[in-house]
Amino acid sequence: MSILTGFRDKSFLDKISILNEIATGKDVAELDDLLELFKNPLDDTSVDYMVVTALNGVLSADEASAVRLLETEDEKLRILCIRVCGEFRFKNAVPAMLRMADGVSDADLLFEVLTSLSKIGGEEALELYRANLSNSDDLIAVMSIEMIGELKDEGSISGLKAFVERNNEDGNFEVCDLTTWKAVEALASIGTEESLSFIVENLHHRNPTVRRVVTDSLTSLGAAAVPYIKKGIAPGAGKDDMILAANVLGFIGDKEGLDVLMDALEKGYSDDSSVKYAIYEAIGRIGTMKGVISLIDGLDDEDELITVAVVTGLDSLVNAGVIRKLVEMIGAGGSKGGKILRAIVTARAVNIFGGLYTEGKIGRFLMNAIAASKDHVVHDAFRDKLREMGGAEAEADIARLPERAVGSGRRALAVDDSKSMLALYRSILTGAGYEPTVAENGQEAYGYVESGEIFDVIISDMNMPVMDGMEFVSKLRQTNGFEAVPVIMVTTESEYSQQDLARKTGVNDFITKPFTADQLKAKIAEFMD
């Protein structure tokens, strides 16, 4: 006799106990009675919910019945069986679900079928995914795109490219469609020469979110993407393409990418300081001894920001040869020597400091520069290094460094994925009398806002991984207390076309790379009393 006999007349607790026993034991003998309870519910929310749970448990142990019931006229039962077949990956359900999807006009039903087929896996549903790439329902289109990528369907490359191209057209580029986002990821997953070359061609897509997705996708591919990315660092390549390609190569950190970057410097592919800065920073980010020669050559550049990037990279690669070269260059005096000393302080290059500390006058000049800094983070970093080195002289120099004072002045937030840029911002902002907070992407920056931090001015890069500058500013403007806080966005010269879009998100003004400390201070002063 079924334990469900006389079920409707039992007490609430008995009903729950019985259904729980069936759900756990998965006794297929109870299927018919469960179906009757499912089709004719008791109108008790808790009991009816447990009937569904028990039915799920039984069908999970009875693939044949779950597949058979896909043909039922009962819509709710059909949906339940579709989900069970997907959750438990019943391969035998695929033909029935494909028949169900053929010509279906119910978007919700089609989405349920596609979801379950995606869980079951396999290429049997490939034609269905292809047919729904451009479905008017975005959720269905996105599901189809994701599966096209998972199945690495080369036949869908042209359709995926169309999403990205359409999102780059006039009137479409201001918002990144979810379909475009997923199309980029699918193209990266397919990973053919055609798909990867196309992604690299869109490194500087007109939509900043698409640019970020392209960067993230290529970075995730790692070394496999390098042969295609290097096409963006070549004679005749656009300035923005070269900057973004260099950034990605730095994120990937592959030795073949290092060769591409060093070759670009050696052959002088660009004399633009923003491009050279991106290349030097990428070389430093890769962090191998092979790149030391290029980094040391970069110390000859007159651009102070490039020097900070070079010193940041060299600090993790310090050896006796690097220290000898630095002693030689600083010892020669002049503006170059002073520039290198300032960069060591700005970048908080404690390893280089450790090598130069015992070099007579050079060590003293460097210590004087550290003591003169107004940045407590600089003082803390070098104080820790001096304690590590130990000795009477180090103790005396520690005493020269002021302890952190309680902040009472204006506060600034600087957001950039470049460590050397953040170091420079700290130096400029503290020199201008601000207490700086820095973040490596928009998400990290918004975390400070969510935690209750208050800022008088915000400086943000445009292109960043995780969350780009425009998305960050858009979220910021929807946050109480930040509707009118001045936001200055940092761009390159060729990003003028993006400024209208940035202003719509809430950016107040722009400053173009490369810029000097005085230029940034003057720009901030325009918005502060």
Side-chain angles (χ1 to χ4, degrees):
M1 179 183 295
S2 169
I3 61 173
L4 289 171
T5 300
F7 181 82
R8 293 177 184 273
D9 298 325
K10 295 184 183 296
S11 69
F12 173 78
L13 289 178
D14 284 343
K15 289 173 182 175
I16 296 297
S17 178
I18 290 168
L19 292 170
N20 187 59
E21 182 180 342
I22 294 172
T24 304
K26 301 180 179 181
D27 187 355
V28 297
E30 306 294 344
L31 178 60
D32 290 340
D33 288 332
L34 277 175
L35 289 172
E36 192 278 329
L37 290 171
F38 180 82
K39 294 175 182 178
N40 301 287
L42 280 69
D43 295 328
D44 182 316
T45 302
S46 298
V47 175
D48 292 337
Y49 175 80
M50 281 302 300
V51 169
V52 173
T53 301
L55 187 54
N56 267 291
V58 169
L59 288 174
S60 71
D62 187 359
E63 179 173 352
S65 293
V67 173
R68 172 176 57 82
L69 290 170
L70 289 171
E71 308 289 349
T72 182
E73 294 296 323
D74 187 312
E75 182 179 346
K76 291 183 179 179
L77 180 57
R78 187 165 64 245
I79 295 296
L80 184 147
C81 290
I82 290 171
R83 292 174 179 174
V84 168
C85 289
E87 182 180 354
F88 295 96
R89 300 181 180 180
F90 291 161
K91 275 283 188 181
N92 291 330
V94 172
M97 285 198 280
L98 290 176
R99 288 194 301 271
M100 194 184 304
D102 186 23
V104 67
S105 58
D106 186 337
D108 291 336
L109 176 60
L110 180 56
F111 182 74
E112 292 284 356
V113 171
L114 287 169
T115 301
S116 287
L117 287 169
S118 71
K119 293 177 180 177
I120 295 171
E123 296 185 359
E124 295 89 343
L126 181 56
E127 286 301 326
L128 178 62
Y129 300 134
R130 287 175 175 172
N132 284 285
L133 272 182
S134 298
N135 194 292
S136 58
D137 187 297
D138 281 349
L139 288 177
I140 292 174
V142 165
M143 174 67 71
S144 300
I145 291 169
E146 288 180 339
M147 291 310 299
I148 288 293
E150 185 173 317
L151 294 170
K152 302 185 185 301
D153 178 36
E154 296 182 29
S156 296
I157 289 177
S158 60
L160 297 172
K161 289 165 65 174
F163 286 109
V164 183
E165 292 167 341
R166 185 163 56 248
N167 207 166
N168 208 23
E169 296 171 352
D170 291 344
N172 294 331
F173 72 90
E174 292 191 2
V175 177
C176 173
D177 297 327
L178 185 57
T179 49
T180 301
W181 184 319
K182 294 301 178 181
V184 171
E185 293 180 341
L187 287 164
S189 181
I190 292 170
T192 64
E193 180 175 357
E194 179 184 2
S195 66
L196 296 183
S197 294
F198 177 78
I199 292 177
V200 171
E201 289 168 8
N202 282 275
L203 269 169
H204 203 254
H205 192 281
R206 294 168 75 184
N207 181 274
T209 303
V210 177
R211 292 199 294 272
R212 173 167 57 81
V213 177
V214 167
T215 296
D216 291 346
S217 296
L218 291 170
T219 302
S220 296
L221 283 171
V226 172
Y228 305 96
I229 299 170
K230 71 180 183 181
K231 297 175 183 178
I233 302 182
K239 170 183 174 179
D240 290 300
D241 287 330
M242 293 185 74
I243 291 172
L244 292 169
N247 289 344
V248 176
L249 290 177
F251 293 144
I252 291 173
D254 183 71
K255 292 181 180 179
E256 183 181 347
L258 176 62
D259 292 338
V260 173
L261 296 164
M262 293 176 65
D263 201 42
L265 290 174
E266 183 181 338
K267 296 180 180 178
Y269 289 167
S270 175
D271 58 3
D272 183 274
S273 61
S274 295
V275 173
K276 290 193 289 183
Y277 166 76
I279 292 174
Y280 280 119
E281 181 168 63
I283 291 173
R285 190 176 268 142
I286 293 172
T288 65
M289 293 306 299
K290 185 177 181 181
V292 167
I293 295 175
S294 291
L295 290 173
I296 288 178
D297 288 344
L299 292 172
D300 287 323
D301 197 286
E302 295 180 0
D303 189 298
E304 193 131 358
L305 178 56
I306 288 178
T307 307
V308 174
V310 168
V311 168
T312 300
L314 284 174
D315 194 50
S316 62
L317 301 169
V318 172
N319 58 30
V322 170
I323 295 300
R324 282 197 301 271
K325 186 64 179 178
L326 288 170
V327 168
E328 176 188 327
M329 297 181 79
I330 297 170
S335 60
K336 184 183 297 183
K339 180 167 61 72
I340 294 172
L341 286 173
R342 289 192 298 273
I344 293 169
V345 177
T346 298
R348 305 196 299 280
V350 294
N351 296 318
I352 291 175
F353 169 74
L356 295 176
Y357 185 70
T358 57
E359 293 292 336
K361 290 183 179 180
I362 291 175
R364 292 298 88 202
F365 288 149
L366 185 50
M367 194 62 230
N368 290 340
I370 294 167
S373 172
K374 297 179 181 180
D375 189 351
H376 63 78
V377 172
V378 167
H379 296 153
D380 290 346
F382 288 104
R383 183 185 292 110
D384 289 345
K385 185 62 179 180
L386 286 165
R387 286 173 178 156
E388 178 188 317
M389 293 188 297
E393 187 174 18
E395 287 297 325
D397 283 330
I398 289 173
R400 296 178 59 191
L401 301 178
E403 295 294 335
R404 181 180 302 198
V406 177
S408 59
R410 287 173 165 172
R411 300 191 64 204
L413 173 62
V415 195
D416 201 297
D417 60 312
S418 161
K419 290 184 178 180
S420 52
M421 277 300 301
L422 291 179
L424 187 66
Y425 286 137
R426 287 200 66 92
S427 176
I428 295 172
L429 290 167
T430 52
Y434 287 84
E435 172 70 21
T437 296
V438 298
E440 293 187 3
N441 56 65
Q443 182 172 292
E444 183 182 343
Y446 193 69
Y448 289 118
V449 172
E450 286 186 305
S451 67
E453 300 282 346
I454 301 298
F455 302 102
D456 298 287
V457 65
I458 295 171
I459 303 157
S460 177
D461 193 22
M462 180 180 287
N463 298 310
M464 295 179 288
V466 185
M467 182 188 289
D468 59 76
M470 293 204 204
E471 184 180 352
F472 165 61
V473 176
S474 180
K475 287 174 69 70
L476 195 71
R477 292 311 189 204
Q478 299 174 49
T479 304
N480 290 337
F482 284 87
E483 298 89 346
V485 174
V487 176
I488 299 167
M489 182 161 279
V490 181
T491 66
T492 63
E493 287 184 10
S494 53
E495 287 173 333
Y496 285 142
S497 63
Q498 299 285 299
Q499 291 191 7
D500 285 342
L501 179 56
R503 286 188 187 279
K504 289 179 181 179
T505 67
V507 173
N508 296 92
D509 208 345
F510 304 85
I511 188 165
T512 305
K513 295 178 184 177
F515 55 81
T516 65
D518 287 341
Q519 288 171 333
L520 179 57
K521 290 177 184 177
K523 179 64 68 176
I524 294 172
E526 292 176 15
F527 296 93
M528 308 304 292
D529 296 330

